[in-house]
Structures are given as structure tokens and as C-alpha cells.
Amino acid sequence: MKKTYTKFQGWNIVILSTLIMTFVGNFQSNVHTVANGIMMASPGNTISQVTHGFVWTVVIAAGVVLGPVAGYLSDKIGAKALYITGSVVSVIGGFVLVQFQPNNGFIYVLNCGIVYSIAFMFTGSVTGQTLVNNWLFKLRGRASALINTGTVFAGVVTPIIANAIINRAGGDWKAAYYFYGATSIVGVVMALFLINKPSDIGQYPDGNPSALAQGEGGQSVTYKVYKNVDLTKQYTLASALKTPFFWLLLAVFIGLQALSSFLMSPGTLMFLEAGFDMSQISPVLSIRQVIRLVFLLLMMKYMDRIEPLKLLGIICGCTALGYFLSANLHTYWQVFAFYAVGSIANSTCLSMPGVILGNIYGYKHIGKIYGFVYAVAALVSSPLSTLNGVIRQSTGSYMIASYLHAGIGVATVFLILGSLVMLKREIARMSA
């Protein structure tokens, strides 16, 4: 017998999703960064630098595969099962596999490459965005930004907590793994209370039966931006792939992914090689988290009021300008410019594609559609990290790489302008 609810549960689901994403995937990601660096420098470590580097190749490859898998399963069996699976896998990695990790290259790749990727992807953006798209129409943008605030919180507190735990454990880096293993147990418990769709408990998106438009009546609720809520006009992945608009949007998201990834590769290395030291860079790394949080708060306010594609154009243009201005490094403010625009691009990459795709192609098959886009964007943009290294090796600096990414930002703006034209045609076609 289904439990009955008198109050709309959508926002409770969004909050639960935010907490699970924070306690599992985001805590795990940041612990890996801190603990694995200490492990590699410890006397008992037998993991080579080659194996350590290979792990990130595995993570990228696994992300490309698991993006569509997470999307398909989110639509097929629901996000709840994925959150539980990802959390359980994270518990195993944090408590069991870590015991064999420093003396076994296979276990290291398994734990920090495959297990990490499953936990991160199954409790990550694709799964969370699928939940948001099913539960909320009117304030979809606000909810999408909200579930990504956990990334900011984890980025601020996890390194502090992990280092404190390791110090209290006498330098034992495994203690930090136990921390995220414990938080993943909390994730399992919270995931048990998730509900995949409003219809599972006899409710409707937004808590409003009229939110679902049907047949000739068209859209029965007026939204400030276009949102495809008509049950008779929901796209499948196959039907979306047949539209030129979809491929133009895919090109836009590839450009956005490229702008986001430049924040991490080369990231800090670019400034260290330019003569800055970590005492100068570290304050900026903290400030960038504040910038990300402020940005997400603004997105909560505006993404349902202003067409998200327009906002995305402004963001990509500002990111291109920031990368251009910070290319020829010689002043400290350029460090701030780089991290400000890069952090905003990174948060945009996490919070905006799912909203745009859900608004245009509908909510019923958004997991499959977003999972496909996530995988292709990551796959096509991933060689840029290698290209950045080749440019650095050939020229002695990352300046040309910065100009390259600034150019990608400008090109993405023009693609977005074309997308806005096609969006008008899409709205007219769907209304006809």
C-alpha cells in the first residue's frame, strides 16, 4: 500500500538529492584528491606515477560510458535505485577496497577509477537532473541550481576535514577514506526515502494537476520561459536525435564543457609556472567557491525568469573574455579573473544543460537525452586537456591554450545565437 502525502514532496526530494550528492559523490571526490596525494608520498606506497595517472584516464572513459547508463536507468527504474547503488559502492570503496589499495595497482585502479566513477555518476548530475525534471516544471531552474550547491559546500569543507582526520590519525591517509565511507552510509539511508516521480505517490509536478498539459488544450500553465510540458509532445532520445536543433545544442554543450574543463587542466599549474606560489593562489581557490555559490544563488533567481540559453550566451561570453585577459600572465588580478570565470563556467556546466534539455524536449525521457549529451560532450572535449599539455611543451607556456579556450567561448556564443533562432522555430512548431 502506497503511503499518502498531503503536502507536495518535490522540494523534499530536491533537498534529499542535494544531501546525497554532497555526502557521497562530492565528499568522495575531494577526499580522493587529498588522501591519494598523501598516499603517493608515503613510504609504504608501491603505486607508480604511471598507474596514478592511468586512473584519471579510466575515470574519463567510465564517465563517457556511465553517463548514458545513468540516464537510461534513471528513466527506466528511477533515480532512487541509482542513488542507493552509488552509495553502497562508495561504502565498499571507503572501507574495504582501500585496505588493499597502496600495494596493488589493480585494486587502486578499481577503487579510484571504476568504483569512484560508478558512485560519482550514479549520485551525480544526470541522476539529480532527472529527478528535478520529473518533479518540478515552474521552478526547475531553481531546483537545478540548488542541487549543485553541495558541490561548493564539499569543496570548502572536505579538504579541511580530511586533513584534520589524517593528522589526528598520525598521518594515516586511509582515515580520510573511512570518513567518506561513513558519509556514504548516511547517503544509503537518505536514498531510501527518495521518490522517483510524483505519480508514484499520486501527486503531480509542482503539486499542480494542471501542470501536465494534454492534447488540444495545450499548455494549461503559463511559464516565463518555454517549457515542454505537453504529454502528447514529449521527445524520446531517438526523436530528439532527428532534429537539427538537438545537434546544434550538443555543439553548444561541447563548447561549455571545454570552458569548464580548462579550470582544472591546467588550472593551478598554469600560475605556478608563471611565478606565483601557493600562498598567493590558495586564497583565490577559497574565494572561487564563494563566487560559485553566489552564481548558483543568482541562477536560482533568474533561470526560470529568463530563457536559460540567453543566460548561457552571456556566461560563455564572459568566460571567453576572462580567459583572454588572463592569457598573458603578469599580474595577480589575472589569477582572480581566471578562477572567477572558470568557476562560473564549471557551475553552469553542472546546472544548466539539464534544464535547457528538459525545457525543450520534455521530462519523460530526459535521463536518456541528458545522459547522451553528457557522454558526447565529455568525450569530444576531453582531448583538449592533452592538447593543453602539448601546447605547453611546444611553446613553454599555456598562453596559446588560454587564447584557444577564449576562442571556443566566442564560437559557443555564436552557436547559442543560432540556437535561440531555432528555439523560436521550435516553439512556433510545437504551438501549431
Side-chain angles (χ1 to χ4, degrees):
M1 182 177 179
K2 292 183 178 179
K3 182 179 178 180
T4 57
Y5 295 86
T6 57
K7 183 180 177 182
F8 176 59
Q9 294 299 303
W11 288 105
N12 292 337
I13 300 303
V14 169
I15 292 170
L16 269 177
S17 177
T18 304
L19 292 172
I20 296 167
M21 290 172 69
T22 303
F23 277 59
V24 184
N26 289 319
F27 276 2
Q28 181 189 31
S29 176
N30 285 278
V31 164
H32 275 217
T33 301
V34 174
N36 288 355
I38 297 174
M39 182 200 77
M40 291 297 293
S42 63
N45 173 62
T46 61
I47 302 300
S48 69
Q49 291 290 343
V50 173
T51 303
H52 179 63
F54 178 67
V55 162
W56 293 108
T57 302
V58 172
V59 168
I60 293 171
V64 171
V65 174
L66 292 172
V69 170
Y72 174 82
L73 292 176
S74 293
D75 286 338
K76 189 74 174 177
I77 63 176
K80 179 176 181 176
L82 269 71
Y83 274 118
I84 293 174
T85 302
S87 299
V88 169
V89 166
S90 187
V91 172
I92 294 171
F95 285 118
V96 180
L97 293 178
V98 68
Q99 305 299 334
F100 312 98
Q101 179 174 304
N103 301 309
N104 189 310
F106 173 77
I107 296 296
Y108 183 62
V109 173
L110 174 65
N111 195 20
C112 298
I114 297 174
V115 168
Y116 163 77
S117 297
I118 293 172
F120 188 80
M121 289 300 302
F122 279 18
T123 63
S125 182
V126 174
T127 312
Q129 295 287 354
T130 303
L131 269 178
V132 166
N133 273 276
N134 277 289
W135 277 95
L136 294 155
F137 293 167
K138 185 177 181 180
L139 298 177
R140 177 180 288 158
R142 178 175 297 183
S144 175
L146 176 60
I147 65 172
N148 286 293
T149 56
T151 307
V152 180
F153 175 76
V156 173
V157 305
T158 312
I160 298 172
I161 295 173
N163 278 302
I165 290 174
I166 292 170
N167 289 336
R168 286 181 64 88
D172 184 3
W173 55 269
K174 291 181 185 177
Y177 269 72
Y178 304 153
F179 162 70
Y180 90 68
T183 61
S184 297
I185 293 175
V186 178
V188 174
V189 175
M190 289 190 292
L192 296 174
F193 295 94
L194 280 173
I195 303 166
N196 291 321
K197 297 178 291 186
S199 57
D200 290 345
I201 55 171
Q203 294 190 349
Y204 297 89
D206 298 339
N208 181 4
S210 63
L212 293 173
Q214 302 184 53
E216 296 295 330
Q219 191 166 300
S220 54
V221 177
T222 301
Y223 301 100
K224 294 183 179 180
V225 302
Y226 172 71
K227 302 193 179 188
N228 179 3
V229 301
D230 196 324
L231 281 171
T232 65
K233 298 177 180 178
Q234 300 290 294
Y235 282 83
T236 63
L237 174 59
S239 60
L241 289 171
K242 295 176 183 178
T243 63
F245 189 19
F246 178 84
W247 294 101
L248 184 57
L249 286 174
L250 181 58
V252 167
F253 295 138
I254 290 171
L256 176 61
Q257 178 67 45
L259 294 175
S260 172
S261 63
F262 195 51
L263 176 70
M264 305 304 296
S265 176
T268 303
L269 181 61
M270 181 166 60
F271 301 106
L272 291 173
E273 292 194 354
F276 298 95
D277 57 47
M278 284 306 298
S279 65
Q280 295 172 300
I281 298 172
S282 293
V284 184
L285 296 179
S286 299
I287 293 171
R288 81 181 181 95
Q289 299 292 354
V290 176
I291 293 171
R292 290 183 66 186
L293 181 59
V294 171
F295 169 76
L296 288 169
L297 293 175
L298 287 173
M299 288 298 96
M300 288 182 202
K301 183 175 182 180
Y302 291 112
M303 218 184 326
D304 295 302
R305 300 182 183 183
I306 302 172
E307 169 53 48
L309 270 172
K310 293 181 180 178
L311 294 173
L312 183 57
I314 296 170
I315 291 164
C316 289
C318 291
T319 304
L321 179 61
Y323 286 163
F324 177 82
L325 294 176
S326 59
N328 187 14
L329 288 168
H330 56 275
T331 60
Y332 193 42
W333 70 266
Q334 290 173 294
V335 181
F336 282 91
F338 173 85
Y339 277 109
V341 298
S343 297
I344 289 172
N346 183 253
S347 292
T348 301
C349 196
L350 292 172
S351 61
M352 199 171 282
V355 173
I356 293 172
L357 292 168
N359 287 353
I360 295 170
Y361 295 107
Y363 65 96
K364 288 199 72 173
H365 306 284
I366 184 59
K368 299 183 188 72
I369 294 172
Y370 185 32
F372 177 85
V373 169
Y374 182 99
V376 174
L379 180 64
V380 174
S381 63
S382 60
L384 283 171
S385 296
T386 303
L387 180 59
N388 294 335
V390 172
I391 291 172
R392 162 64 183 83
Q393 192 73 22
S394 302
T395 65
S397 77
Y398 287 101
M399 182 171 66
I400 293 178
S402 296
Y403 287 138
L404 171 64
H405 283 77
I408 291 173
V410 172
T412 305
V413 171
F414 281 102
L415 290 172
I416 291 170
L417 292 175
S419 299
L420 288 170
V421 173
M422 296 194 76
L423 176 60
K424 288 182 180 181
R425 295 176 183 173
E426 175 72 8
I427 294 171
R429 190 183 71 81
M430 294 290 276
S431 301

